[in-house]
Amino acid sequence: MISVFGSANMDLVAYVAQAPRPGETVTGREFRTIPGGKGANQAIAAARAGAGVAFLGAVGDDAFGPGLRAALAEAGVDTAGLRVVPGPSGVAHIVVEDGGDNSIIVVPGANGAVTGPAGRDAETIARSDALLLQLELPMDAVVAAAHVPRGVSSGAEVILTPAPAAPLPAELLEAVDLIVPNEHEAAALTGRDDPRDALEALLGLVPEAVVTLGARGALYGSRDGTRLHEAAVPVRAVDTTAAGDTFAGALAVARTEGAGPARALRFASAAAALSVQREGASTSMPHRHEIDRLLEG
Ligand code: ADP
């Protein structure tokens, strides 16, 4: 079983020829309300990829809360640990221009009220094989969650997606088993622009690291000396939103099933390649049979 302790945001996406400048009003072409947030995305990706998943986090008592819960539940994610707190849910206000450029305002809302896991939530993490973390919750809460498995024999492996990029406190790094940044986050964390150099620097911080490289695939390294490069599956990408979250969710599934690093990378790359061929975040994540078919084909 996989626990995800993370954010749920409603993505409010407006499609427009050109984003408005300050003081300007423009008419958009289309508007969509899409459940997202890195935590919820990773939970849905892992559930679709075949794992039992529990989501731990919070939504507001506004109109978006039930929609966010329903999106998780529809994917088969256990939402018993999804709290409702007074005030607005997290939202990401996204403007997508015709050329594909986007600008995003994330307002954390209920995500900002999440505190370190206690009681039943801590028990859920303690029972898990993997714990997926990202950085869209308060850092103190993320650090507290990362330490729960350490008190348990054969505790969950802790997998961190360090996004949005932020300085990582030592108390967090000491509890992380595997870090999965994209190349920009890896550069921000290490000060090394070359992803291979960044990978080496990350291994000075945590035992295992994956640096995702978009259409160029992903690098893996471990302190035991293993180094791998998995090429991306060549596909025509229509929307790369949440490719990284799909990758992280699927990677966790493969690892909890006992896959070694090479097989886990291949599985995650296949899942992410399927997701970039479809629009949206949670809407684009593949089911297990699709991933298996791509890997067999
Ligand atoms: P993020 O979404 O976090 O920025 P990346 O862009 O690095 O992360 O993508 C994560 C993974 O998704 C890549 O390692 C790759 O496996 C897959 N991926 C991303 N873009 C493409 C693409 N254009 N074609 C095939 N696979 C892709």
Side-chain angles (χ1 to χ4, degrees), residues 26 37 51 55 91 107 111 166 192 195 209 275 283:
V26 297
F55 182 78
V91 294
V107 185
N111 298 302
R192 314 273 180 89
S275 81
T283 41

Side-chain angles (χ1 to χ4, degrees), residues 18 36 62 65 73 78 128 145 164 206 208 237 249 260 269 272:
Q18 207 166 22
D62 58 1
D78 179 349
S128 304
V206 295
E208 289 179 273
S269 299

Side-chain angles (χ1 to χ4, degrees), residues 182 185 212-215 217-218 232-233 235 237 240 242-245 247 269 272-273 276:
N182 66 21
E185 291 145 8
T212 64
L213 309 173
V233 181
V235 296
T240 60
D245 291 331
F247 187 99
S269 299
V276 303

